[in-house]
């Protein structure tokens, strides 16, 4: 009787292991081809700089969550209602958006945007907006538009990086200095950007002690705030963001000399704590 029980247990275990092995699949080509893939733009936006003596090119990436063992076509279109850039070599060269593919065994496909005439470009820039319309054997989700900002680029020869003594040179209000007044900060280049610099500072140090990144944009001899402004982390009204925006008359800089420069910005764009004012800081390299 015991022998019979052991035999039945052995048969049951063999059947169980066989069933599991039949359900399990390796990541071979067949199973990869069967998986559901999600497709989206790799980024929501990018900047194509227009340079005076160089043809500017930018690759826009379409990402898929799973590689497949075959080429997959994808389709994009220009969103005419949101686009301010002009084709035909004015802001950008005419695009060939046919026969776009995500190559076999890859997780990215791409298409190239080529900048137009430098003389037509502006510091403010124009937008070229793309919609992701279809990717073969994939579900579209998450990030389905991509904005290429086409903007004039002016060379910056000095590094504008390292340690700087900063001081608020406009009158300091009742709430005290806006940033770390009369202190040394480290200015660094933001990864992936030729023009943006950043440093860590408190916002209203008399009230808030958590450092926050503050970004400046060195664009054709003017110092601007990033698009959308710098978001402050010391607020009066939790319902609205505290923003530092570009001043109506931006301060200027010498691209060859980073020893001393001034940064003006609109303090409290949204009126979070009261009417906005223009604040200026002087940066002196140490």
């Amino acid at each position: 009787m015991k022998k019979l029980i052991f035999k039945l247990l052995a048969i049951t275990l063999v059947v169980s292991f066989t069933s599991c092995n039949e359900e399990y699949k390796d990541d071979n080509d067949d199973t990869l081809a069967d998986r559901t893939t999600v497709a989206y733009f790799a980024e929501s936006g990018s900047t194509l700089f227009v340079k005076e003596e160089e043809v500017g090119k930018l690759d826009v990436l379409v990402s898929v969550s799973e590689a497949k063992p075959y080429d997959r076509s994808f389709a994009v279109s220009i969103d005419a209602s949101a686009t301010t850039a002009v084709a035909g070599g004015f802001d950008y060269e005419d695009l060939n958006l046919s026969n776009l593919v995500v190559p076999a065994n890859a997780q990215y496909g791409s298409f190239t945007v080529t900048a137009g005439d430098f003389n037509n470009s502006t510091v403010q820039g124009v937008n070229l907006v793309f919609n992701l319309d279809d990717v073969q054997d994939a579900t579209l989700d998450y990030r389905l538009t991509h904005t290429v900002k086409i903007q004039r680029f002016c060379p910056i020869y000095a590094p504008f990086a390292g340690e700087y003594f900063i001081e608020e040179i406009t009158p300091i209000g009742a709430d005290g200095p806006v940033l770390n007044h009369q202190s040394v900060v480290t200015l660094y280049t933001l990864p992936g950007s030729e023009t943006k610099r950043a440093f860590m500072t408190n916002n209203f140090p008399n009230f808030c002690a958590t450092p926050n990144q503050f970004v400046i944009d060195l664009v054709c001899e003017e110092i601007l705030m990033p698009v959308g402004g710098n978001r402050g982390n010391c607020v009066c009204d939790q319902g609205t963001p505290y923003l530092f925006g570009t001043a109506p008359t931006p301060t200027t800089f010498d691209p060859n000399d980073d020893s001393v420069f001034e940064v003006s910005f609109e303090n409290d764009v949204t009126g979070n704590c009261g009417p906005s004012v223009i604040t200026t800081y002087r940066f002196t390299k140490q």
Side-chain angles (χ1 to χ4, degrees):
M1 186 66 178
K2 287 183 179 179
K3 288 183 180 180
L4 179 59
I5 291 172
F6 283 131
K7 285 181 180 179
L8 289 172
L9 285 172
I11 292 170
T12 302
L13 288 171
V14 170
V15 171
S16 298
F17 283 124
T18 302
S19 299
C20 289
N21 286 335
E22 286 176 351
E23 291 175 1
Y24 178 78
K25 293 182 179 180
D26 291 323
D27 276 348
N28 56 29
D29 285 353
D30 292 335
T31 55
L32 286 175
D34 289 342
R35 288 179 177 174
T36 299
T37 301
V38 176
Y40 46 89
F41 280 115
E43 297 177 304
S44 60
S46 54
T47 301
L48 172 57
F49 286 113
V50 187
K51 301 181 180 181
E52 190 167 16
E53 298 179 355
E54 182 179 328
V55 177
K57 291 180 180 290
L58 175 73
D59 289 335
V60 179
L61 302 182
V62 171
S63 177
V64 290
S65 59
E66 293 282 354
K68 300 286 188 183
Y70 53 87
D71 289 351
R72 284 169 289 173
S73 62
F74 69 90
V76 298
S77 60
I78 295 173
D79 188 333
S81 64
T83 291
T84 55
V86 178
F90 190 85
D91 292 316
Y92 66 97
E93 299 293 340
D94 290 333
L95 292 163
N96 180 8
L97 297 179
S98 59
N99 303 317
L100 302 176
V101 297
V102 177
N105 303 312
Q107 287 187 264
Y108 292 97
S110 67
F111 59 93
T112 302
V113 181
T114 302
D117 190 341
F118 177 82
N119 293 324
N120 298 327
S121 63
T122 64
V123 172
Q124 294 76 22
V126 291
N127 291 330
L128 175 57
V129 183
F130 294 97
N131 294 324
L132 181 59
D133 299 322
D134 183 59
V135 177
Q136 180 185 350
D137 296 338
T139 300
L140 303 184
D141 194 15
Y142 179 49
R143 192 186 290 123
L144 303 182
T145 62
H146 182 96
T147 300
V148 177
K149 184 175 184 180
I150 303 173
Q151 180 180 5
R152 174 174 290 196
F153 175 79
C154 302
I156 303 169
Y157 301 104
F160 287 87
E163 292 190 337
Y164 281 85
F165 178 80
I166 66 171
E167 53 188 328
E168 191 167 331
I169 61 174
T170 41
I172 296 175
D175 293 332
V178 179
L179 307 178
N180 284 356
H181 175 57
Q182 294 184 338
S183 66
V184 175
V185 300
T186 301
L187 199 63
Y188 52 90
T189 302
L190 279 187
S193 174
E194 297 185 66
T195 63
K196 289 184 175 65
R197 305 293 188 269
F199 61 98
M200 299 301 294
T201 179
N202 293 36
N203 300 149
F204 294 98
N206 288 359
F207 298 95
C208 299
T210 303
N212 194 31
Q213 181 174 260
F214 195 96
V215 178
I216 60 175
D217 202 358
L218 308 175
V219 180
C220 293
E221 301 182 18
E222 288 188 335
I223 301 180
L224 313 177
M225 298 297 104
V227 175
N230 282 299
R231 192 174 184 124
N233 64 354
C234 193
V235 301
C236 297
D237 178 5
Q238 296 292 338
T240 58
Y242 196 108
L243 295 178
F244 304 108
T246 296
T249 303
T251 44
T252 59
F253 70 96
D254 180 348
N256 297 287
D257 183 5
D258 66 350
S259 58
V260 180
F261 60 92
E262 294 176 359
V263 177
S264 290
F265 53 89
E266 185 177 358
N267 173 21
D268 199 359
V269 173
T270 60
N272 184 283
C273 291
S276 66
V277 295
I278 303 303
T279 300
T280 302
Y281 269 74
R282 179 179 291 127
F283 287 64
T284 304
K285 200 160 195 176
Q286 301 301 286

